[in-house]
Each structure stands twice: as structure tokens, then as C-alpha cells.
Amino acid sequence: MNAATPAAHQAAALLLGYPGPDWPARHALVRECLTELATPAAAPLLRFCAAVDGVPVLDLASAYVRTFDRSRRRTLHLTYYTDGDTRRRGGTLAALKAHYRAHGWAPPEDELPDHLPLLLEFAARCPAPGKRLLCDHRAALELLRMALTDHGSPYADVLRAVCETLPGPSPADRAAALALVRGGPPTETVGLAPFAAAIPAATPLAEGTGR
């Protein structure tokens, strides 16, 4: 693993966080550190920093909400892409939290453990298991990267940087991402057998409100 990879993961985690009052200082610190980072991931991260340089915090915060919180297709909660709003997702989230704790890290209680900035922070703190987790969610990362690119969002460069730190997507990763694009996340059908005929097919991951 490139020694600079954990730093790239930490930078991406900070840049993908909600741009609150601390954003100007956070942005300046990350940008300064990136200029000394010897990794291909630094270039797209610096492009993002340049793209948002000088944007008022309130404007950037509004764009952040429109980008990530009002579209199921661009959510930062990675297990939504693979588990949807099913009971299976609860087990996946619990397993993620247990995985963090097994490596000595307790994520904040006010955020779901599949939030991409949290995964990236974990990868920065615990590089080997963190990178494996990111690889496990490679299909979701690719889908999010493509969605942000289609949306014309500068945040697409942050996702490009994250993907730069990982092995190239395998045919299985590409197939999984295409399947998610075509079919959308799973829907809950357990216990609803009598009403199965009334349950619509999974909605493709297109624009919509909510996650």
C-alpha cells in the first residue's frame, strides 16, 4: 500500500463532510497537506479544492444537501445501494459497527456506520482493514462516482480520488454496478407474500427525494 494512501483517505473524508462553519479552515488545511502528498489521488482532490475555493459556506452547504441528501442515486450511505431499505441492511450496519469496534474505533453515534466519510476515516486510521472495507463496497463507490459525474458535481473528483487508491474494478464490480443501475436497490418483500402481486419492481436508482 502506498504510504500516502491513508492521508488521501483522511483528506477525502474531510472534504466529503458537511460544510459547516469550520469548512474554510478545513478546506485550507486539506489543500495545504495535499500539495505535499505523493499519490495520484492528490490531483483530483486538489481539483475539487480549487473548484469550491471561494464558494460561500452557505452556498456550498446548500449544494451539498441537493447533491447527497435529495437523491437516492447519490447517497453517501453505501449499504443503501446494495441492501436498500430492507431488514438485511440493519444486519449489515450492525456488522460494520462491530468491525470498527473490533479494530479499536468507535464511530460517532449520530451517524450511520456506512456513511462514506466514516469508512474513509476508518481507512485512514486502520489502513489494511479499512481498504478491504472500501473494496467490499467498490460497486457502490463506482455507482456514486458515475452519478456525481452525470450530475456535473465537483464532488465527483473526490470519488475519483478514492477509487484511485483502490485496485481497478473487477468484472464482478462492474457487473454489480450495472445491475444496481438497472434494478435499483433491493426492496423488502419478506412477510408480504400475500401482497406480492401489488409490490412494484425495484425502482432504478434515478432522481428522487430522500435516501
Side-chain angles (χ1 to χ4, degrees):
M1 181 187 295
N2 187 322
T5 297
H9 287 158
Q10 184 64 72
L14 291 169
L15 295 176
L16 284 172
Y18 179 78
D22 69 326
W23 173 255
R26 194 194 328 161
H27 173 266
L29 175 63
V30 171
R31 193 171 191 176
E32 180 181 353
C33 293
L34 286 172
T35 59
E36 303 176 1
L37 202 59
T39 171
L45 290 172
L46 283 168
R47 280 200 304 271
F48 170 80
C49 288
V52 300
D53 189 29
V55 177
V57 174
L58 289 178
D59 291 348
L60 189 60
S62 178
Y64 184 96
V65 170
R66 289 195 307 271
T67 300
F68 296 117
D69 292 349
R70 294 182 180 171
S71 171
R72 295 174 302 166
R73 190 171 178 245
R74 296 188 301 270
T75 179
L76 289 169
H77 291 94
L78 298 185
T79 65
Y80 177 78
Y81 296 103
T82 51
D83 291 348
D85 288 321
T86 66
R87 277 171 280 187
R88 184 177 71 190
R89 187 178 178 208
T92 304
L93 293 173
L96 262 178
K97 189 176 289 189
H99 189 74
Y100 292 150
R101 288 175 175 161
H103 289 279
W105 185 55
E109 291 294 333
D110 61 350
E111 185 55 84
L112 293 175
D114 65 338
H115 196 233
L116 179 54
L118 289 188
L119 267 74
L120 289 165
E121 185 172 345
F122 176 68
R125 293 166 180 260
C126 306
K131 188 172 182 179
R132 285 195 296 271
L133 266 185
L134 290 171
C135 288
D136 288 344
H137 292 89
R138 186 59 189 271
L141 290 170
E142 287 294 328
L143 188 60
L144 178 56
R145 179 188 62 77
M146 291 187 291
L148 290 170
T149 300
D150 291 345
H151 188 60
S153 170
Y155 283 102
D157 271 325
V158 184
L159 267 292
R160 288 189 189 99
V162 173
C163 291
E164 281 276 2
T165 68
L166 305 176
S170 67
D173 291 326
R174 293 191 184 94
L178 285 173
L180 288 171
V181 169
R182 291 167 181 159
T187 54
E188 187 67 87
T189 58
V190 176
L192 300 176
F195 310 100
I199 298 173
T203 303
L205 285 168
E207 296 296 331
T209 57
R211 294 192 178 97

